[in-house]
Amino acid sequence: MGRQARGRYKKNTYKRNLRPCLMKISAIKKRSETHALTKDDIVHSIYTRLDLPKYKSTEVTEPLPEIIKRTLAKGNDVLISKFGRFSFKEKREWMGRNPPADEKTLLRDRRVVRFISSAILRNRIYEKI
């Protein structure tokens, strides 16, 4: 019972060893092919790269999504250089369809947030493919 099977890790050790750094996105694939970068991953990356305490790293990371949400709520675009732009698109009303019920319904006009990646980000993504 005291011996652990080869290839198994204690839960905390496994997570600590595989937390990706923002600059080492390839480490995400080791954890899972469909893993999304989470706020916790960003906090850990700041913690390891800048040698800040965990609570300071969290304090640095927490306001960013709130700032983006507030800016978008005011109707302004958010531009992050070398990354991309969050902006609004006006969608006019259109006839939609509910496939299970085979009903046609009128969908009202609305504003949606869209993300447009910068040329630098696009080039980095397409280099990997």
Side-chain angles (χ1 to χ4, degrees), residues 96-105:
R97 191 172 76 81
N98 182 1
D102 201 29
E103 299 173 345
K104 290 186 177 181
T105 57

Short mmCIF file of all heavy atoms in Angstrom, two decimals, residues 96-105:
data_model
loop_
_atom_site.label_atom_id
_atom_site.label_comp_id
_atom_site.label_asym_id
_atom_site.label_seq_id
_atom_site.Cartn_x
_atom_site.Cartn_y
_atom_site.Cartn_z
N GLY A 96 -35.03 32.85 -37.55
CA GLY A 96 -34.30 31.69 -37.09
C GLY A 96 -35.18 30.46 -37.14
O GLY A 96 -36.38 30.55 -37.43
N ARG A 97 -34.60 29.33 -36.83
CA ARG A 97 -35.35 28.08 -36.89
C ARG A 97 -34.96 27.22 -35.71
O ARG A 97 -33.79 27.14 -35.33
CB ARG A 97 -35.01 27.36 -38.19
CG ARG A 97 -35.89 26.20 -38.52
CD ARG A 97 -35.60 25.71 -39.92
NE ARG A 97 -34.36 24.94 -39.99
CZ ARG A 97 -34.24 23.66 -39.65
NH1 ARG A 97 -35.28 22.99 -39.20
NH2 ARG A 97 -33.09 23.04 -39.76
N ASN A 98 -35.96 26.61 -35.09
CA ASN A 98 -35.75 25.66 -34.00
C ASN A 98 -35.83 24.27 -34.61
O ASN A 98 -36.92 23.77 -34.88
CB ASN A 98 -36.82 25.87 -32.91
CG ASN A 98 -36.62 24.94 -31.75
OD1 ASN A 98 -35.69 24.15 -31.73
ND2 ASN A 98 -37.51 25.03 -30.78
N PRO A 99 -34.68 23.61 -34.83
CA PRO A 99 -34.69 22.32 -35.54
C PRO A 99 -35.52 21.21 -34.88
O PRO A 99 -36.26 20.52 -35.59
CB PRO A 99 -33.21 21.92 -35.60
CG PRO A 99 -32.47 23.19 -35.44
CD PRO A 99 -33.32 24.06 -34.58
N PRO A 100 -35.46 21.03 -33.55
CA PRO A 100 -36.27 19.93 -32.99
C PRO A 100 -37.78 20.13 -33.19
O PRO A 100 -38.51 19.18 -33.48
CB PRO A 100 -35.93 19.95 -31.50
CG PRO A 100 -34.62 20.64 -31.41
CD PRO A 100 -34.60 21.62 -32.53
N ALA A 101 -38.26 21.36 -33.06
CA ALA A 101 -39.69 21.62 -33.20
C ALA A 101 -40.05 22.02 -34.63
O ALA A 101 -41.23 22.12 -34.97
CB ALA A 101 -40.13 22.71 -32.24
N ASP A 102 -39.05 22.28 -35.46
CA ASP A 102 -39.24 22.73 -36.83
C ASP A 102 -40.13 23.97 -36.88
O ASP A 102 -41.02 24.08 -37.71
CB ASP A 102 -39.79 21.61 -37.70
CG ASP A 102 -39.51 21.87 -39.18
OD1 ASP A 102 -38.49 22.54 -39.46
OD2 ASP A 102 -40.31 21.43 -40.03
N GLU A 103 -39.84 24.91 -35.98
CA GLU A 103 -40.58 26.17 -35.92
C GLU A 103 -39.70 27.29 -36.42
O GLU A 103 -38.50 27.31 -36.18
CB GLU A 103 -40.98 26.51 -34.48
CG GLU A 103 -41.86 25.53 -33.81
CD GLU A 103 -42.05 25.88 -32.33
OE1 GLU A 103 -41.27 26.70 -31.81
OE2 GLU A 103 -42.96 25.33 -31.72
N LYS A 104 -40.29 28.27 -37.08
CA LYS A 104 -39.57 29.47 -37.46
C LYS A 104 -39.92 30.56 -36.46
O LYS A 104 -41.08 30.73 -36.10
CB LYS A 104 -39.96 29.92 -38.87
CG LYS A 104 -39.44 28.98 -39.93
CD LYS A 104 -39.71 29.52 -41.30
CE LYS A 104 -39.12 28.59 -42.34
NZ LYS A 104 -39.32 29.07 -43.69
N THR A 105 -38.87 31.26 -36.00
CA THR A 105 -39.09 32.34 -35.05
C THR A 105 -38.29 33.56 -35.49
O THR A 105 -37.23 33.44 -36.11
CB THR A 105 -38.65 31.95 -33.62
OG1 THR A 105 -37.28 31.57 -33.66
CG2 THR A 105 -39.49 30.83 -33.06
#
